[in-house]
Amino acid sequence: MNKLGIHSFVWTGSSVQKDLETAIQVSSDLGYKLIEFPRLNTKVFDVAALARLLQSRDMGVAVTMGLPPDGDISSEDLEKIARGEALLIEGVAVARDLGAKKLGGILFSMHGKYQSLPTAAGWRNSVDVIRRVAERAKQADVTINLEIVNRFETNLLNTTAQGLKFIEDTGSDNVFLHLDTFHMNIEEASPADAIRVAGRKLGYFHIGESYRGYLGSGTIDFDAAFDALLDIGYTDYLTFESFSSEVVDKDLSITCGIWRDTWKDNVALARHARAFIEERFASAERRRQVTRTV
Ligand code: MN
């Protein structure tokens, strides 16, 4: 497993240049090959300088984001839809300029708890925007990856099956699924089967424990997930995602409900996560090989 990524919120919730540089350096020192940056505020850091640092460290980068309430492209409010589309286009540009090949996250709706049911018109509005954004992203050599998240963080796409239907409706070959063990554990009857159903449409993958803390200390069945990833031939990045109130970003911490410390020492956490994923993934590969050997 040499395509291991880490979410920058293990290190920092800020968009300050110095903090982002430290996050890149620590991740690289600990053997990670990609860093994921969410919700980047491009006004407070130098994209070109970060891109150079990433390159000098031979580090990949992924950008993720969620739409704000006033930029909800799954709404029926034309102003909100236009604002959301502009934010997504900006996200594609930042991803491109940083050297990222993937834009992921809750790109298709507001990121947060809805107080209303999804509507058919809202679905169509979201599909239309994603289709257009995906076209632009393709020119920038960036893929669009829709993160399927739990019911408290969107009302539109909570399962792989819904995500596949959405992708089909866009008619685009540049839209993929971004799956996450934490969210699948809440919404899917069988998370491993959901991975198999995603198949070749899986574009990006988050590894998170059931309570978002130390891997292996919760209830996620990582063996089943890794078996399924091998079954579908997924060889792209696996990105470790963990949140604690030790690292706070006002918006994301509240949206994701991060109210307490699940860890304090992020270096120990990241070191453990890498060893855990590599060991479990290697075991899954061994299982697969043994099963297929006469
Ligand atoms: Mn995630």
Side-chain angles (χ1 to χ4, degrees):
M1 173 42 59
N2 57 4
K3 284 197 150 185
L4 203 54
I6 188 164
H7 196 283
S8 67
F9 270 51
V10 168
W11 310 118
T12 177
S14 91
S15 272
V16 175
Q17 184 80 12
K18 180 176 67 63
D19 295 340
L20 297 176
E21 285 175 2
T22 305
I24 291 169
Q25 280 154 358
V26 179
S27 302
S28 166
D29 289 346
L30 291 173
Y32 286 92
K33 300 294 183 199
L34 171 140
I35 189 162
E36 175 177 327
F37 288 128
R39 295 182 179 230
L40 282 175
N41 179 359
T42 51
K43 289 171 190 72
V44 297
F45 73 92
D46 180 348
V47 178
L50 278 191
R52 278 195 301 274
L53 175 61
L54 286 160
Q55 238 178 356
S56 75
R57 286 273 182 158
D58 198 21
M59 279 285 276
V61 58
V63 173
T64 51
M65 59 189 284
L67 293 174
D70 68 357
D72 186 354
I73 61 170
S74 74
S75 71
E76 296 176 31
D77 178 323
L78 294 180
E79 271 180 38
K80 288 183 183 177
I81 295 169
R83 208 172 289 131
E85 184 162 0
L87 286 170
L88 291 171
I89 287 168
E90 201 181 296
V92 169
V94 175
R96 177 201 61 207
D97 295 347
L98 274 175
K101 299 288 175 213
K102 298 176 195 297
L103 179 67
I106 302 91
L107 310 174
F108 47 83
S109 77
M110 169 184 95
H111 184 197
K113 169 78 167 75
Y114 275 80
Q115 303 296 335
S116 59
L117 296 168
T119 66
W123 173 286
R124 283 194 298 274
N125 292 339
S126 180
V127 163
D128 288 342
V129 172
I130 293 295
R131 179 189 300 120
R132 288 194 293 269
V133 170
E135 210 42 56
R136 275 193 182 234
K138 202 172 180 177
Q139 290 158 21
D141 198 20
V142 171
T143 59
I144 296 298
N145 300 273
L146 310 174
E147 185 168 16
I148 305 303
V149 296
N150 74 78
R151 64 192 66 188
F152 303 110
E153 298 184 41
T154 183
N155 67 358
L156 204 69
L157 303 179
N158 300 133
T159 67
T160 288
Q162 290 174 320
L164 289 173
K165 174 73 173 85
F166 186 97
I167 290 173
E168 192 188 322
D169 286 0
T170 66
S172 169
D173 61 0
N174 196 36
V175 185
F176 298 87
L177 295 179
H178 166 181
L179 297 182
D180 179 317
T181 55
F182 166 82
H183 295 292
M184 287 194 290
N185 180 59
I186 297 172
E187 299 295 343
E188 300 285 5
S190 166
D193 199 31
I195 291 170
R196 291 189 177 89
V197 167
R200 303 200 70 77
K201 286 294 173 190
L202 182 60
Y204 192 45
F205 199 81
H206 272 170
I207 303 275
E209 193 40 279
S210 52
Y211 71 108
R212 291 199 180 277
Y214 262 79
L215 297 182
S217 64
T219 60
I220 300 288
D221 186 348
F222 288 106
D223 292 337
F226 291 162
D227 285 345
L229 287 170
L230 288 172
D231 278 352
I232 65 169
Y234 181 81
T235 54
D236 215 323
Y237 285 102
L238 301 179
T239 293
F240 171 54
E241 181 175 44
S242 179
F243 298 124
S244 170
S245 55
E246 191 68 15
V247 173
V248 176
D249 165 80
K250 202 172 132 273
D251 288 341
L252 195 61
S253 297
I254 290 170
T255 305
C256 294
I258 312 305
W259 312 125
R260 62 192 170 88
D261 281 352
T262 52
W263 40 261
K264 283 192 181 295
D265 182 344
N266 48 12
V267 172
L269 173 92
R271 202 169 262 144
H272 171 270
R274 183 186 159 203
F276 179 91
I277 296 168
E278 283 179 344
E279 200 262 314
R280 293 298 189 93
F281 204 84
S283 293
E285 283 173 325
R286 266 196 300 278
R287 269 198 299 283
R288 193 174 166 78
Q289 197 190 355
V290 169
T291 309
R292 282 158 181 72
T293 304
V294 180

